[in-house]
Amino acid sequence: MKVPLLDLAAQFRTVEAELREAIDRVLVSQQYVLGPEAQALEAEIAEFCGAKHAVGVSNGSDAIVAALMALNIGPGDEVIVPAFTFYATAGSVERVGAKPVFVDILADTFNIDPDAIPDAVSDKTRAIIPVHLYGQCAEMDRIMAVADRHKLAVIEDAAQAIGAEYNGKGAGNFGNAGTLSFYPTKNLSAIGEAGMVLTNDAKLADELRCVRLQGQTSSYEHARLGANFRIDGIQAAALRVKLSWLNQWNENRRKHAARYNEGLQNSVVITPPVNEACKHIYHQYTIRSPKRDKLRAHLNDAGIGSGVYYPIPLHLQPAFIGLGYKRGSMPVAEQASEEVLSLPVFPEMTAEQQDYVIETINQFK
């Protein structure tokens, strides 16, 4: 049996007719950039996430950059980020000329360690970017307490967490802004690139709309530095179709996770714990094993896809070597990078496929 890590074709078959109708609607309108589809999507995403405002942008990385720019964070500023996440979180900080400052993570959820944040604060620190990794929210009450104490902005990187909750509140609603990615592999996926910034601050929402339009306030008049961060109409139309399915897809992922938890409880791997305050939406179902690479080879031999997110922690990435971090400076993140392995958890996964994955892992010694 073959079990892919992700089956985009299966999802496409589910929504094909609706997608084609939505795309045709944009083709007829000829409004390919922003336009009514983008406006409708922004309203629908805001309602789904429980935010007052949502601003559609070009992709998840640009969403972080746009939020930083709208908050006037740039050269000379420092931004605290977790050492274990996708490159774009810290790369976006450098794109605006600020300096990423890395802190270690919690060993169980892989999210930023709130207790490590205060030691990273300096007189140059302007913001914290917690990441809701793999679909589980960071401990936002503790993070916001640190931010409030030091008067820091908070930008939640919720690229993997649309629909996730912390104490009943949606991801992206705790800080000044929350950023979303709709990359094709995400729980809510575009048919290309797209992203969104959430905020409950009307003034910041206006700044974000200005930033995504080259800083333009009226025709050929530019009030501030911005960039071309606009969302495409076709992507917005496609996302509106898929948004109507998202609750069901997230629940399917949660059911798959529960099945894994039960089936792997006596295996040699560590299943992902869930903070009791969190509603996890399992963008990834990520296990741990000190024999990760051998286990991955074992799965591959059985025709089962898997993924390593992420094999190199950010503080050891070549792009950030100039920041002066060394191996050993973020031990929890470094160990996680050597042990994490994500299993197939896509919504359309069948019971037979999942039982095969469980059986194969339970055979591993």
Side-chain angles (χ1 to χ4, degrees):
M1 180 184 292
K2 296 288 186 181
V3 185
L5 177 60
L6 180 65
D7 192 347
L8 293 178
Q11 184 181 99
F12 176 64
R13 289 192 294 270
T14 302
V15 297
E16 180 177 1
E18 294 175 82
L19 278 179
R20 292 189 184 279
E21 181 181 344
I23 292 169
D24 284 346
R25 190 167 65 239
V26 178
L27 293 174
V28 170
S29 76
Q30 295 288 291
Q31 298 193 56
Y32 297 127
V33 179
L34 297 176
E37 293 292 340
Q39 292 175 357
L41 176 68
E42 289 173 339
E44 291 162 7
I45 291 286
E47 181 178 5
F48 181 90
C49 294
K52 292 181 180 178
H53 308 277
V55 181
V57 294
S58 39
N59 57 62
S61 301
D62 289 345
I64 301 173
V65 173
L68 289 165
M69 292 177 71
L71 289 166
N72 297 310
I73 294 173
D77 297 330
E78 294 180 353
V79 179
I80 295 171
V81 298
F84 187 71
T85 183
F86 182 57
Y87 164 82
T89 308
S92 297
V93 174
E94 291 219 334
R95 282 175 61 189
V96 298
K99 176 185 176 182
V101 175
F102 298 115
V103 300
D104 216 342
I105 60 168
L106 297 169
D108 52 0
T109 65
F110 307 109
N111 282 322
I112 192 169
D113 182 354
D115 289 338
I117 295 174
D119 288 341
V121 176
S122 76
D123 58 1
K124 296 180 180 179
T125 307
R126 289 285 312 283
I128 308 168
I129 305 182
V131 179
H132 304 314
L133 200 67
Y134 301 146
Q136 178 167 208
C137 289
E139 295 184 16
M140 291 309 301
D141 52 354
R142 298 171 64 196
I143 294 168
M144 292 305 301
V146 175
D148 291 344
R149 187 162 63 248
H150 294 279
K151 296 181 171 54
L152 303 176
V154 174
I155 301 170
E156 298 169 63
D157 183 343
Q160 302 180 8
I162 184 169
E165 296 177 0
Y166 184 78
N167 285 328
K169 191 174 182 179
N173 279 289
F174 294 86
N176 302 74
T179 63
L180 303 174
S181 169
F182 304 128
Y183 188 74
T185 59
K186 295 296 192 289
N187 290 34
L188 178 62
S189 57
I191 53 175
E193 296 271 11
M196 191 80 68
V197 185
L198 307 173
T199 184
N200 292 304
D201 183 332
K203 183 178 179 181
L204 182 59
D206 287 340
E207 290 295 322
L208 287 162
R209 295 185 188 101
C210 182
V211 164
R212 75 171 174 188
L213 203 60
Q214 305 280 15
Q216 182 172 287
T217 51
S218 61
S219 184
Y220 295 106
E221 182 176 349
H222 301 262
R224 58 164 301 149
L225 183 65
N228 179 8
F229 293 149
R230 298 171 296 190
I231 190 171
D232 291 343
I234 284 178
Q235 300 302 338
L239 286 163
R240 293 183 67 199
V241 169
K242 293 188 175 186
L243 181 61
S244 66
W245 289 83
L246 184 56
N247 277 329
Q248 179 180 328
W249 288 341
N250 280 349
E251 282 307 308
N252 286 353
R253 289 173 179 269
R254 286 163 55 81
K255 290 176 182 177
H256 296 337
R259 190 181 184 95
Y260 274 136
N261 289 344
E262 181 178 358
L264 297 175
Q265 60 183 331
N266 296 317
S267 73
V268 296
V269 305
I270 300 172
T271 56
V274 178
N275 184 325
E276 62 181 11
C278 292
K279 178 183 178 181
H280 199 322
I281 50 89
Y282 293 98
H283 172 61
Q284 301 290 349
Y285 182 90
T286 303
I287 59 174
R288 294 186 76 141
S289 171
K291 299 179 180 179
R292 189 267 311 283
D293 293 339
K294 289 183 178 179
L295 174 58
R296 192 179 191 195
H298 173 71
L299 292 171
N300 185 65
D301 289 344
I304 298 169
S306 62
V308 177
Y309 310 104
Y310 301 91
I312 305 174
L314 292 185
H315 66 290
L316 299 180
Q317 288 284 354
F320 300 124
I321 195 169
L323 297 177
Y325 294 93
K326 305 293 183 183
R327 181 168 293 279
S329 58
M330 307 283 162
V332 183
E334 291 165 27
Q335 184 176 356
S337 71
E338 297 171 353
E339 296 183 353
V340 294
L341 187 67
S342 296
L343 304 180
V345 73
F346 55 92
E348 301 80 13
M349 190 179 191
T350 67
E352 291 75 18
Q353 287 176 316
Q354 192 168 21
D355 286 345
Y356 179 59
V357 176
I358 293 170
E359 178 185 352
T360 304
I361 292 175
N362 284 332
Q363 291 170 350
F364 180 74
K365 304 298 181 184

